[in-house]
Amino acid sequence: METAGAELTLRHPVERFTLDNGLRVVLAPDRSVPVVAVSVFYDVGMRNEPEGRTGFAHLFEHLMFQGSANVPKMEHARLVQAAGGTFNGSTHQDYTNYFEALPAEALERALFLEADRMAAPAITEENLRNQIDVVKEEIRVNVLNRPYGAFPWLQLPRIAFESFANTHDGYGSFVDLESSTVDDAADFFSRYYAPGNAVLCIGGDLDVADTQRLVERWFGPVEARPVPPTPSTGEPLPTAVRSAVVEDALAPAPALALGWRVPDPVGDFDRYLGAVLLAELLSEGDASRLERRLVHDDRIAIAQSSYVGLFGDPFDVRDATLLTTQVHHPAAVPAERVQAAVHEEVRRVAEDGVDAAELGRVQARTEAQLLRQADSVLGRTLGFAAAELIHGRAELAGELAARLAAVTPGQVQAAARDLDPGTAAVLELRATGGRR
């Protein structure tokens, strides 16, 4: 296993330095293709939002694309695309990121664009009102007017957790969004978008010394500001079942979601890896435990999936988080029957364990997915940036496949034992569209 792990470790070197204003910089050179990726990860996400300002992290991500001190609105997109590049941003539980992938000769252009909005985004009343409307429409399209739009990612945390940070709607309520002010946005920027609260990661066809000079040129003048402490979002483990029922008039069939707390993704990483592979063993592929049992053998499910982390990426979250199993089932099948079958399959792993051959297949598939993600310059750069921000070690992104290859059957069995039916969060979705 050690040999396999060594072969799976990515060999891309990582260089790092910190600017005087606190910005942490990670460089991951790869001269094999003439492409660079630039990513800026800010240590602020949905869990940082205060009460009364749900959805603000995502709203502010939109604002960051509305221009900055030296870049008019829409110019960021034009400049990146004119160079043959792509760009985007995304909001997560624990961070917000912005990134570009471009031909190598356009590196300085991307650095200028990111530094300009790190220094002074265009926070105006017009931009704020416009983006509030854009976000509200996004919520209508993705949540309110879509079957299973909030299931289970917005609904299960309300049952599984207790703190506001972990339970609130990260997309935001319309009331909170509409009452947001320019002062709120300016305060949010000042507090969370300080250079010392960010990681700049650049990967691809770059010279380390030249790139460091460019970074210092463009990001060095950005004003240093106090860095907020990382909030503690961990919670005590549940001691009882928590359950709720929701109705969905658009859903064609009922669904069930079960959520179990898993070990701290940062502080208890080896135990956490057992839970990550357990989720894969339960649900990934036609040979997985739940696919065979629920869909093929008992025929009590239309579809099923299991994953760790709210958005399905287990390696970019802090504590607390869940292993979630969601099952869509025919209306004629009671939710209780589905739930009992899921618990029984988990119990079998907990009591009987898993043989090395079955685990090996799961590991091989998971490792291949990780290596595919890291195959592109952009995917690798985003992985390094997330690992630096969340774990304090960009190198961990290159070691993940090897670390998963080293997980033992005993670790997966221990993870299954942690999925106690008596501490699960249970969300039942009833499809009510057919009612008269």
Side-chain angles (χ1 to χ4, degrees):
M1 192 65 73
E2 288 180 3
T3 302
E7 292 171 353
L8 290 166
T9 301
L10 295 181
R11 298 302 179 191
H12 297 282
V14 170
E15 307 272 350
R16 55 165 56 75
F17 58 94
T18 302
L19 299 186
D20 290 343
N21 58 17
L23 178 65
R24 289 161 286 169
V25 184
V26 175
L27 305 181
D30 172 11
R31 310 308 293 266
S32 62
V33 288
V35 174
V36 290
V38 175
S39 64
V40 183
F41 278 53
Y42 293 92
D43 201 337
V44 56
M46 295 172 180
R47 288 204 260 214
N48 299 86
E49 294 165 349
E51 293 192 46
R53 286 294 172 265
T54 60
F56 207 90
H58 177 232
L59 173 61
F60 199 87
E61 177 215 322
H62 278 251
L63 270 180
M64 287 284 280
F65 286 96
Q66 297 307 297
S68 51
N70 298 293
V71 181
K73 185 183 293 193
M74 305 303 295
E75 191 71 1
H76 186 121
R78 192 191 70 78
L79 287 170
V80 173
Q81 291 169 339
T86 60
F87 68 96
N88 212 333
S90 60
T91 308
H92 300 250
Q93 282 185 287
D94 297 306
Y95 66 85
T96 307
N97 66 5
Y98 306 87
F99 50 89
E100 294 84 17
L102 317 94
E105 63 267 19
L107 171 60
E108 188 167 11
R109 178 177 297 197
L111 296 179
F112 156 70
L113 291 170
E114 289 297 349
D116 204 59
R117 63 178 168 185
M118 178 182 283
I123 302 173
T124 67
E125 183 70 27
E126 178 188 358
N127 285 342
L128 179 62
R129 291 300 131 200
N130 175 267
Q131 292 311 301
I132 288 171
D133 289 341
V134 171
V135 170
K136 286 169 59 180
E137 183 60 21
E138 192 175 318
I139 294 170
R140 290 187 189 100
V141 171
N142 292 337
V143 178
L144 300 179
N145 297 321
R146 174 179 291 184
Y148 314 107
F151 177 85
W153 75 284
L154 293 178
Q155 296 164 331
L156 188 60
R158 300 172 196 166
I159 309 163
F161 300 114
E162 295 180 355
S163 71
F164 177 79
N166 291 322
T167 58
H168 77 271
D169 178 350
Y171 236 152
S173 76
F174 281 12
V175 171
D176 286 356
L177 290 168
E178 288 166 353
S179 61
S180 300
T181 68
V182 168
D183 284 345
D184 292 330
D187 289 345
F188 193 84
F189 170 75
S190 178
R191 180 174 180 79
Y192 292 112
Y193 277 68
N197 204 42
V199 169
L200 167 64
C201 186
I202 309 167
D205 188 9
L206 60 90
D207 176 87
V208 170
D210 290 345
T211 304
Q212 181 166 351
R213 283 193 292 271
L214 289 174
V215 168
E216 289 170 345
R217 175 184 178 185
W218 293 109
F219 287 88
V222 180
E223 179 186 1
R225 297 193 301 278
V227 176
T230 302
S232 175
T233 52
E235 292 190 14
L237 291 171
T239 57
V241 172
R242 306 176 187 187
S243 61
V245 176
V246 294
E247 295 186 346
D248 188 335
L250 301 176
L256 178 75
L258 302 174
W260 296 269
R261 285 283 299 280
V262 293
D264 183 344
V266 178
D268 202 356
F269 191 62
D270 284 330
R271 278 185 64 219
Y272 182 72
L273 290 179
V276 171
L277 284 179
L278 174 62
E280 298 286 320
L281 180 137
L282 288 173
S283 74
E284 286 300 310
D286 287 339
S288 65
R289 301 290 183 101
L290 292 179
E291 185 73 13
R292 286 204 316 260
R293 172 70 185 274
L294 302 179
V295 179
H296 299 297
D297 295 345
D298 292 2
R299 298 187 178 182
I300 58 174
I302 301 163
Q304 60 75 37
S305 63
S306 297
Y307 49 90
V308 177
L310 188 64
F311 297 114
D313 185 342
F315 301 117
D316 72 346
V317 290
R318 298 184 174 117
D319 206 31
T321 195
L322 301 174
L323 188 159
T324 301
T325 292
Q326 64 182 73
V327 183
H328 297 253
H329 60 92
V333 177
E336 293 79 13
R337 184 180 174 195
V338 176
Q339 184 177 335
V342 172
H343 285 316
E344 185 176 330
E345 289 304 312
V346 172
R347 180 178 56 78
R348 284 181 177 169
V349 180
E351 292 181 356
D352 303 336
V354 53
D355 66 56
E358 183 182 10
L359 179 58
R361 289 195 299 272
V362 172
Q363 287 169 313
R365 183 172 54 245
T366 308
E367 292 149 13
Q369 290 170 349
L370 282 168
L371 293 172
R372 271 198 304 273
Q373 290 169 12
D375 194 43
S376 75
V377 171
L378 178 59
R380 191 163 58 247
T381 302
L382 295 175
F384 282 137
E388 182 71 21
L389 189 76
I390 300 296
H391 295 271
R393 282 190 68 242
E395 294 88 346
L396 180 63
E399 300 165 1
L400 284 175
R403 294 288 290 270
L404 286 165
V407 172
T408 65
Q411 285 173 269
V412 176
Q413 184 176 14
R417 288 172 177 159
D418 286 341
L419 304 195
D420 182 352
T423 61
V426 183
L427 174 65
E428 180 184 344
L429 180 144
R430 294 177 181 165
T432 58
R435 288 183 180 174
R436 291 289 183 267

